Amino acid sequence: MFNEQKQMYRSDRPLSRSHQGKPNPMNMDRLVANFQDRDIAAFEKLYELYSPNIRGTIRAIVGNDEDAQEICQDVFVKVWHRADRYDASKGRFFTWLLNIARNAAIDRLRSKDFKNSKKNVSMSICRDIHSIRSNDHLGNFDIPVIDRLLEPLNPDRRKI
């Protein structure tokens, strides 16, 4: 009997439990259909169900929470506008959503803005460098302090 119940719950993820207020797998198809019919309540429920997993997957790809949250929201907006493109005969809704999220995260990593943001020096380093006092008006700085401040930079960017 347990194996029969286990099989019955494989229709879509996340697996739900009635005491948590999540739809059971048989209702998941109806929820997705309502979503495709532009039902905002269905969209909100799907966001509630799936956004933590989607955001976690994106975070694993891009490496930070802020970008992951932004991309996750963008993914759900994209999915809302493309709801008619989901085809249940080709796979589960979660898989479709996860592929869109994965592609969006990879696109962000490949974007010029993302790459440039990783090359920029942290403003805290700039403030620290600015706060160094010169020993005289000729600009004799405390070299060990400057070396410490430049240490986090890539070697090719340390040259002053």
Side-chain angles (χ1 to χ4, degrees), residues 29-43 46 80 83-84:
D29 293 337
R30 185 74 237 146
L31 184 62
V32 171
N34 289 348
F35 165 73
Q36 288 184 297
D37 289 337
R38 306 298 230 192
D39 182 346
I40 293 174
F43 172 80
L46 288 170
W80 175 254
D84 59 324

Side-chain angles (χ1 to χ4, degrees), residues 12-14 16 21-25 27-55 72 75-77 79-80 83 86 92-98:
D12 208 336
R13 287 200 187 255
S16 60
K22 295 180 182 179
N24 66 40
N27 290 338
M28 186 57 80
D29 293 337
R30 185 74 237 146
L31 184 62
V32 171
N34 289 348
F35 165 73
Q36 288 184 297
D37 289 337
R38 306 298 230 192
D39 182 346
I40 293 174
F43 172 80
E44 290 172 346
K45 187 65 175 177
L46 288 170
Y47 184 85
E48 177 187 325
L49 290 170
Y50 293 124
S51 65
N53 293 331
I54 297 299
R55 190 171 44 252
C72 182
V75 164
F76 275 91
V77 169
V79 167
W80 175 254
Y86 170 67
R92 296 183 317 198
F93 180 79
F94 180 74
T95 305
W96 179 71
L97 181 62
L98 190 61

Side-chain angles (χ1 to χ4, degrees), residues 95-113:
T95 305
W96 179 71
L97 181 62
L98 190 61
N99 282 328
I100 292 170
R102 180 186 158 277
N103 291 340
I106 291 169
D107 288 347
R108 177 67 65 92
L109 284 178
R110 291 177 179 164
S111 75
K112 192 174 190 175
D113 290 340

